[in-house]
Amino acid sequence: MTAKLILGTEIREEILKEVEEEVKTIKAKHGAVPGLVTILVGQNPASVSYVTLKIQTANRLGFKEIQDNQPEDISEKDLLALIERYNNDDSIHGVLVQLPLPKHIDEKKVLNAIDPDKDVDGFHPVNVGRLMIGGSEVKFPPCTPAGIQEMIVRSGVETSGAEVVVVGRSNIVGKPIANMMLQKGPGANSTVTIVHTRTKDMASHCKRADILIVAAGVPGLVKPEWIKPGACVIDVGVNRVGEKVSEKTGKKVAILRGDVDFDAAKEIAGYITPVPGGVGPMTITMLMKNTLRSLKFKLGIA
Ligand code: GUN
């Protein structure tokens, strides 16, 4: 069997078109556009490229976008004051601090300083709690898990009653996607298992999965024999395993590999996401959706 590819690059375009249309409608009716500030501390090359893509996407959708670059040595106090300024700015609906932060800054303190009603990353403990309760309590589902759920739903994969196995227990992907898939409601209602580094027999759990979501950060961890024939396999891993010269640009680019042995897995799975071009493009897409949601909450139309 050859699996059907679930392409984040295609689903992204579908969703961004929907967001763009909604932005136009809201602008015409309410005279407001979503406002997003991205705070970047230092010049970590991976962060610079993420942030650049966020800005390009926000601009394309007609958002107000502020790119706030701060020096590597900004004090924690000054960064907290900056966040407070954006918390109080009515034209800003999403405040995002790009991670990772330099070592002298307490990441937890910074994330906790963002107004939970502008926390479009969904990382604030208040939003983590809202997600846990589920249903109408949820304000900002974290972007990567929300993107994964959209990919599953838009591919027509049945989630109700499905055995979902999540590999990895991170706060950003593993724990929230497991929580989202077990909630009552469309695109969820699944029976969920989380496996991790201390799990005794990871393979036996994975083999039961109708939907296998892998976010371990270990290239090629999931072997083809761990996959149930016909299963939906979502590979969240983006592992840099080397460098090559791009044919298009002539520049050095990273060689990326997922957590799943893709070439072998695609012959067994029913659906599979590639790396790159799978889950990756969905994170920024869902960030845009959350920023629009934030404006809609403010206008009372969410
Ligand atoms: N760094 C890498 N991914 C992310 C993300 O989704 N949000 C933030 N704030 N920082 C990141």
Side-chain angles (χ1 to χ4, degrees):
M1 187 195 318
T2 302
K4 186 173 180 300
L5 283 181
I6 304 181
L7 298 173
T9 43
E10 281 181 7
I11 299 174
R12 167 182 61 193
E13 293 310 311
E14 263 176 51
I15 297 174
L16 290 182
K17 249 187 224 140
E18 292 164 12
V19 171
E20 196 173 5
E21 283 308 308
E22 223 179 330
V23 169
K24 276 188 199 151
T25 309
I26 292 174
K27 189 177 178 185
K29 222 170 168 179
H30 300 272
V33 296
L36 173 68
V37 60
T38 307
I39 301 172
L40 173 64
V41 179
Q43 290 290 306
N44 172 320
S47 294
V48 170
S49 61
Y50 272 131
V51 165
T52 306
L53 208 53
K54 283 174 192 172
I55 299 165
Q56 285 170 351
T57 312
N59 286 336
R60 167 185 157 185
L61 298 175
F63 284 22
K64 169 181 172 174
E65 153 69 35
I66 297 176
Q67 171 52 32
D68 194 330
N69 285 349
Q70 293 294 327
E72 178 87 20
D73 62 356
I74 185 175
S75 70
E76 186 179 279
K77 187 166 164 270
D78 286 351
L79 182 57
L80 293 173
L82 186 67
I83 292 169
E84 191 55 22
R85 213 182 80 207
Y86 289 119
N87 281 345
N88 294 320
D89 182 337
D90 283 345
S91 71
I92 294 296
H93 311 98
V95 178
L96 182 144
V97 179
Q98 187 66 27
L99 304 176
L101 287 168
K103 288 202 167 55
H104 67 279
I105 296 175
D106 182 345
E107 199 166 282
K108 222 194 241 175
K109 232 185 195 171
V110 168
L111 294 181
N112 289 0
I114 296 170
D115 178 350
D117 291 344
K118 295 190 178 187
D119 168 40
V120 284
D121 259 330
F123 292 165
H124 192 288
V126 166
N127 286 316
V128 176
R130 287 170 171 163
L131 190 78
M132 186 70 151
I133 295 167
S136 60
E137 280 293 321
V138 180
K139 203 143 197 190
F140 303 118
C143 302
T144 303
I148 293 169
Q149 196 175 32
E150 285 277 354
M151 295 177 99
I152 295 170
V153 170
R154 287 180 190 242
S155 301
V157 173
E158 179 60 79
T159 60
S160 183
E163 291 280 344
V164 171
V165 176
V166 178
V167 183
R169 51 178 161 176
S170 69
N171 287 330
I172 290 182
V173 184
K175 281 193 257 181
I177 189 63
N179 180 30
M180 288 160 78
M181 296 308 293
L182 65 79
Q183 298 289 349
K184 273 189 188 167
N189 285 326
S190 306
T191 302
V192 179
T193 305
I194 306 181
V195 301
H196 48 76
T197 45
R198 300 295 175 95
T199 298
K200 281 189 183 136
D201 184 359
M202 208 183 264
S204 70
H205 291 284
C206 292
K207 281 178 190 170
R208 282 190 296 104
D210 300 312
I211 300 172
L212 182 61
I213 301 169
V214 192
V218 180
L221 172 73
V222 171
K223 309 289 178 265
E225 59 274 20
W226 296 13
I227 294 168
K228 182 172 164 180
C232 171
V233 178
I234 307 287
D235 189 350
V236 192
V238 183
N239 306 291
R240 288 165 190 253
V241 294
E243 276 188 341
K244 63 178 179 184
V245 175
S246 161
E247 280 176 23
K248 261 195 216 159
T249 62
K251 284 185 186 164
K252 270 191 187 169
V253 289
I255 300 171
L256 301 177
R257 209 172 144 211
D259 290 351
V260 176
D261 178 351
F262 177 82
D263 288 334
K266 76 178 189 329
E267 301 303 325
I268 302 163
Y271 297 81
I272 193 165
T273 60
V275 176
V279 176
M282 296 300 293
T283 303
I284 290 178
T285 305
M286 300 315 288
L287 174 72
M288 300 301 136
K289 211 166 164 177
N290 273 353
T291 308
L292 172 62
R293 261 171 86 80
S294 183
L295 171 62
K296 284 165 71 179
F297 279 120
K298 194 181 158 205
L299 295 171
I301 55 170

